[in-house]
Amino acid sequence: MDYKMDMRNAAYTYEYLKYRKEKEVELFNVHSIHDDTIKKDLGDGYYYFEEEFNNIKGNAHISASKVKVFFDNKQIYEFKCLYENLLFCQLIKHSNGKKYLMFNRELYGYSVLELDTMKEFHYYPKENMKEGRETFIWTDVFYNPNNNFMAGFGCYWGSPYFYILIDFSDPFKVVPYLETCSISNENDPEDPNGECWVGNDFVFLEQKTKNIITIKEQQYLSEYNKLFIDYDINFYME
């Protein structure tokens, strides 16, 4: 039997909360070196400042960041990125009429902030609580309001980049990842610099051949639905 990663959510477990508290103390202290401060406009009056830090442990340089989110020049939220700087932070205008921030606090998983209510949701796979285990590293996201699918761009550590697709109908729900390379012969896309949706079809540029690869909605929906058949949904839900 193929190994199945434990994709249940560890973000609210005692073990993870204890780990995160200890690492925040370790990575944000008087010995942390302040590298840079970056500002990025998110649109609609939202923006953030990211303070990047560097921690030296022997020959290792460990990155971390403090991120402050502002709206109309007032700070409304703050979070910390552990073991990596901020990889992505996007303003999502959802089809439900609400606005969300989607961002990373870790190398793995993702977080969602509902801006209307300031309700937050964090997802960190239980698989990553096991020593040496890897899951998908998100570095960018592309939302399609027509059918509520989210494309995530990223990789496994040290491996080529590719896309995953998830159902983002409920931003606070843990759902399976569909790896596009499992349904396309091409799995070496260019770094995205714009939209990757044409209507409801998923489109990307293959890096080596420069071919435009199109995955029709019917095709990825069919494969996505199989994930709920092949795996017990409780495998994904806490």
Side-chain angles (χ1 to χ4, degrees), residues 15-207:
E15 292 78 9
Y16 176 78
L17 293 174
K18 179 175 180 290
Y19 150 82
R20 186 167 178 89
K21 184 177 181 180
E22 291 172 351
K23 295 306 176 184
E24 285 188 5
V25 173
E26 177 184 332
L27 297 175
F28 300 96
N29 56 64
V30 294
H31 302 294
S32 299
I33 302 170
H34 185 270
D35 279 346
D36 198 6
T37 299
I38 299 169
K39 179 182 179 181
K40 180 179 178 181
D41 180 37
L42 296 167
D44 289 6
Y46 294 93
Y47 62 93
Y48 68 75
F49 282 103
E50 178 190 7
E51 294 182 86
E52 295 183 342
F53 294 86
N54 193 13
N55 292 267
I56 301 174
K57 295 182 67 175
N59 294 325
H61 289 244
I62 303 172
S63 300
S65 289
K66 290 182 181 179
V67 182
K68 296 179 180 180
V69 181
F70 292 78
F71 176 67
D72 284 348
N73 299 318
K74 295 181 180 179
Q75 183 179 334
I76 60 171
Y77 189 66
E78 181 175 346
F79 63 93
K80 296 175 181 177
C81 300
L82 306 183
Y83 282 98
E84 187 55 80
N85 297 130
L86 185 63
L87 296 175
F88 72 97
C89 182
Q90 298 287 347
L91 177 66
I92 306 295
K93 298 179 183 179
H94 201 277
S95 65
N96 64 13
K98 297 180 180 180
K99 296 176 182 178
Y100 299 87
L101 281 189
M102 190 172 183
F103 54 93
N104 71 289
R105 300 192 310 165
E106 301 266 4
L107 192 59
Y108 307 103
Y110 60 86
S111 294
V112 177
L113 175 68
E114 187 177 86
L115 291 166
D116 296 340
T117 63
M118 301 306 292
K119 179 182 177 182
E120 57 187 3
F121 170 75
H122 306 293
Y123 173 55
Y124 187 82
K126 279 194 171 183
E127 186 72 13
N128 294 117
M129 297 298 292
K130 305 172 186 177
E131 186 174 357
R133 298 304 306 177
E134 299 287 332
T135 61
F136 184 76
I137 300 169
W138 299 67
T139 62
D140 210 346
V141 293
F142 302 88
Y143 172 64
N144 185 353
N146 295 323
N147 65 0
N148 289 319
F149 261 74
M150 178 75 75
F153 186 70
C155 66
Y156 290 98
W157 184 263
S159 299
Y161 281 75
F162 62 97
Y163 287 96
I164 62 169
L165 300 177
I166 68 168
D167 181 357
F168 202 65
S169 298
D170 182 351
F172 292 163
K173 183 179 180 181
V174 178
V175 291
Y177 297 175
L178 174 65
E179 299 182 0
T180 57
C181 55
S182 69
I183 55 176
S184 168
N185 291 328
E186 311 294 343
N187 60 359
D188 191 16
E190 288 274 12
D191 290 344
N193 57 6
E195 294 300 323
C196 52
W197 296 102
V198 176
N200 290 340
D201 295 338
F202 181 72
V203 178
F204 66 89
L205 183 67
E206 205 277 330
Q207 186 169 192

Side-chain angles (χ1 to χ4, degrees), residues 197-237:
W197 296 102
V198 176
N200 290 340
D201 295 338
F202 181 72
V203 178
F204 66 89
L205 183 67
E206 205 277 330
Q207 186 169 192
K208 293 180 180 178
T209 65
K210 305 302 180 184
N211 291 332
I212 296 175
I213 309 301
T214 299
I215 303 176
K216 293 290 186 179
E217 181 184 27
Q218 183 178 5
Q219 183 183 7
Y220 67 73
L221 285 180
S222 175
E223 294 301 318
Y224 194 81
N225 289 333
K226 289 179 184 178
L227 296 178
F228 292 90
I229 299 173
D230 296 338
Y231 295 94
D232 184 343
I233 188 61
N234 292 323
F235 186 67
Y236 295 92
M237 302 297 291

